[in-house]
Amino acid sequence: MKKILFVCLGNICRSPSAEAVFKALIEKNGLENSVSCDSAGTAAYHVGERADYRMRQFGLKRGYNLTSISRPFDSKNDFDRFDYIIGMDRQNVRDLKNVARNENDRKKIHLMTDFCISKKYDSVPDPYYGGDAGFELVLDILEDACAGLIAKIK
Ligand code: 4NP
């Protein structure tokens, strides 16, 4: 089983969306028995909350049901439980590297946009304080990056 953890700041916008988009691809490819995923946040501001309402609405418009509940990244367990730990932006990656315990942990950390096939972005931009276009952009980038990721691990 390959296990993927998507990580952003609050775990209410970008990483829950990555989880939903990637789960749809797992199902489409019939990989339920060999690939799984989850999401977490580097900050604990929103622990226990559902994904942001706006993000859920924009997800639903594309057929993605965002069901995750925000939880903090847990460096004591998550580095052992997951094979790929994927940050949405460079700050997420830095924060993850800062809590990595050793080189083996560090090797699991990746930047989401490095899996993109056609989109040219160096991060999935935080949509929280912006308008509707930011939420659509998150989904555009995630659909591209998730396609690249599933092709890579398949
Ligand atoms: P996320 O977005 O990291 O994609 O879940 C954010 C959610 C909440 C906050 C920042 C970013 N916040 O500052 O509360």
Side-chain angles (χ1 to χ4, degrees), residues 8-16 45-46 92 126-129:
C8 62
L9 179 63
N11 192 212
I12 56 168
C13 293
R14 295 165 293 172
S15 60
Y45 317 133
H46 295 279
N92 303 147
D126 182 350
Y128 191 69
Y129 294 106

Side-chain angles (χ1 to χ4, degrees), residues 130-147:
D132 292 356
F135 291 90
E136 298 283 17
L137 179 62
V138 165
L139 291 165
D140 289 342
I141 298 172
L142 289 177
E143 286 178 337
D144 189 46
C146 283

Side-chain angles (χ1 to χ4, degrees), residues 4-150:
I4 321 291
L5 183 66
F6 298 108
V7 178
C8 62
L9 179 63
N11 192 212
I12 56 168
C13 293
R14 295 165 293 172
S15 60
S17 300
E19 183 184 346
V21 171
F22 199 65
K23 276 190 174 145
L25 278 183
I26 289 173
E27 282 169 30
K28 188 174 158 200
N29 287 273
L31 296 171
E32 293 91 336
N33 296 322
S34 54
V35 183
S36 69
C37 69
D38 187 12
S39 66
T42 57
Y45 317 133
H46 295 279
V47 169
E49 294 176 21
R50 293 186 66 188
D52 184 278
Y53 177 78
R54 299 162 295 172
M55 196 72 252
R56 280 190 279 131
Q57 296 309 304
F58 282 103
L60 268 185
K61 277 207 301 185
R62 300 191 191 199
Y64 305 116
N65 190 10
L66 274 61
T67 57
S68 72
I69 301 294
S70 177
R71 72 155 176 101
F73 180 75
D74 171 7
S75 60
K76 288 199 176 67
N77 293 294
D78 287 335
F79 283 116
D80 298 321
R81 289 175 51 216
F82 293 93
D83 303 294
Y84 286 75
I85 297 173
I86 304 178
M88 298 295 120
D89 63 32
R90 290 178 190 281
Q91 186 61 50
N92 303 147
V93 166
R94 273 194 294 273
D95 290 341
L96 288 166
K97 287 192 172 160
N98 280 339
V99 294
R101 300 160 303 179
N102 52 49
E103 191 52 31
N104 195 43
D105 288 356
R106 267 188 290 279
K107 279 194 297 206
K108 296 183 175 186
I109 301 169
H110 303 268
L111 178 65
M112 188 65 178
T113 46
D114 285 345
F115 296 102
C116 279
I117 298 168
S118 58
K119 297 274 175 201
K120 298 273 182 283
Y121 286 91
D122 65 359
S123 74
V124 183
D126 182 350
Y128 191 69
Y129 294 106
D132 292 356
F135 291 90
E136 298 283 17
L137 179 62
V138 165
L139 291 165
D140 289 342
I141 298 172
L142 289 177
E143 286 178 337
D144 189 46
C146 283
L149 177 61
I150 204 134

